[in-house]
């Protein structure tokens, strides 16, 4: 048993995280919603014990484990920073059916879902999510607070800066995409054939700039 854990965020994706952490040996003690509207209710049989404000008002979270279930990078980043400010622990959690090379490096709070593959000589920054069936090819680096959706394939030799979102089944070509810039958004099924500027929204195959954030 890995110990107790609390999950932040109550929505459609929360049950995925409950399933994940229990498969990895954690015991879910309770859930926190973004406001107090659901306090005292049950979600899939698990108690909603407070809001983010309730949690952040505590003086010390040392010794407590948390998992962040939000898909929105901005929200997940804020939660991560608040939990860390209060001394809480956000463990890296890897699904037992994921393949993660011993020659890769995963920072604090990384989530790796089922059937994801993390190649050797890769680095994944704090609080980033690698969804099911996603792949990270060798010699690539992913920044902090990123999200790779199901079926994403990140090619080799690529630097992904912080807070990048890659949509379902998006892909980048090894050796063609040197960098995906800060806060870029890659649309579903997009095929990247060149580097991406910060804050760009990319769509299509080959991908082109739809607009900037």
């Amino acid at each position: 048993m890995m110990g107790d854990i609390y999950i932040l965020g109550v929505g459609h994706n929360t049950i995925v995280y409950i399933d994940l952490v229990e498969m990895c040996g954690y015991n879910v003690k309770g859930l926190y919603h973004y406001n107090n509207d659901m306090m005292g209710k049950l979600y899939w049989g698990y108690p909603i014990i407070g809001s983010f404000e309730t949690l952040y008002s505590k003086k010390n979270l040392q010794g407590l484990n948390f998992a962040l279930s939000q898909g929105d990078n901005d929200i997940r980043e804020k939660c991560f920073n608040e939990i860390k400010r209060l001394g809480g622990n956000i463990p890296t959690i890897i699904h037992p059916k994921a393949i993660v090379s011993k020659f890769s490096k995963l920072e604090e709070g990384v989530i790796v879902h089922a059937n994801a593959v993390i190649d050797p000589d890769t680095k994944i920054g704090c609080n980033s999510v690698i969804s099911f069936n996603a792949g990270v090819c060798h010699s690539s680096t992913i920044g902090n607070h990123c999200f790779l959706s199901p079926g994403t394939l990140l090619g080799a030799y690529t630097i992904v800066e912080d807070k990048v979102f890659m949509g379902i089944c998006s892909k980048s070509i090894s050796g063609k995409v040197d960098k995906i810039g800060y806060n870029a958004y890659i649309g579903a099924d997009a095929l990247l054939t060149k580097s991406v500027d910060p804050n760009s929204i990319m769509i299509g195959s080959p991908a082109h700039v739809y607009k900037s954030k």
Side-chain angles (χ1 to χ4, degrees):
M1 178 67 69
M2 298 295 290
D4 296 333
I5 196 166
Y6 299 87
I7 297 178
L8 271 66
V10 180
H12 298 297
N13 197 41
T14 309
I15 189 61
V16 176
Y17 275 71
I18 292 171
D19 185 62
L20 172 64
V21 299
E22 290 189 340
M23 281 191 173
C24 293
Y26 289 94
N27 173 54
V28 178
K29 288 288 288 182
L31 314 175
Y32 285 92
H33 192 42
Y34 75 92
N35 63 26
N36 288 313
D37 291 352
M38 299 179 69
M39 185 145 63
K41 296 182 179 179
L42 295 177
Y43 172 89
W44 289 86
Y46 296 85
I48 300 171
I49 59 178
S51 67
F52 293 175
E53 184 178 355
T54 303
L55 180 63
Y56 300 157
S57 67
K58 298 179 185 295
K59 294 182 179 180
N60 193 332
L61 299 178
Q62 289 187 3
L64 301 179
N65 294 315
F66 298 88
L68 313 180
S69 71
Q70 303 90 346
D72 185 293
N73 289 338
D74 290 330
I75 297 173
R76 203 171 63 257
E77 178 191 25
K78 291 177 183 177
C79 292
F80 181 89
N81 290 337
E82 286 296 319
I83 295 297
K84 295 306 299 175
R85 179 181 67 84
L86 294 167
N89 181 45
I90 304 175
T92 291
I93 300 174
I94 301 170
H95 193 284
K97 290 189 177 180
I99 299 174
V100 178
S101 171
K102 67 177 182 180
F103 299 108
S104 63
K105 182 177 181 181
L106 277 58
E107 301 287 355
E108 183 178 12
V110 170
I111 299 293
V112 184
H113 288 286
N115 299 320
V117 178
I118 311 297
D119 269 0
D121 189 27
T122 55
K123 179 181 176 182
I124 301 176
C126 294
N127 194 35
S128 287
V129 177
I130 312 299
S131 298
F132 67 88
N133 293 335
V136 180
C137 293
H138 65 89
S139 311
S140 288
T141 299
I142 296 174
N144 302 322
H145 317 297
C146 292
F147 193 101
L148 272 62
S149 297
T152 297
L153 180 59
L154 180 70
Y157 321 115
T158 304
I159 295 174
V160 178
E161 295 186 336
D162 293 350
K163 295 175 68 173
V164 167
F165 183 94
M166 296 190 70
I168 291 174
C169 293
S170 58
K171 298 176 178 64
S172 68
I173 298 177
S174 298
K176 297 290 186 181
V177 182
D178 296 326
K179 183 180 292 186
I180 302 175
Y182 172 84
N183 201 37
Y185 187 101
I186 314 303
D189 282 321
L191 175 63
L192 298 180
T193 60
K194 59 183 178 181
S195 292
V196 176
D197 291 333
N199 296 303
S200 295
I201 298 175
M202 306 291 290
I203 62 172
S205 180
H208 61 278
V209 178
Y210 172 64
K211 62 179 180 180
S212 294
K213 292 185 181 179

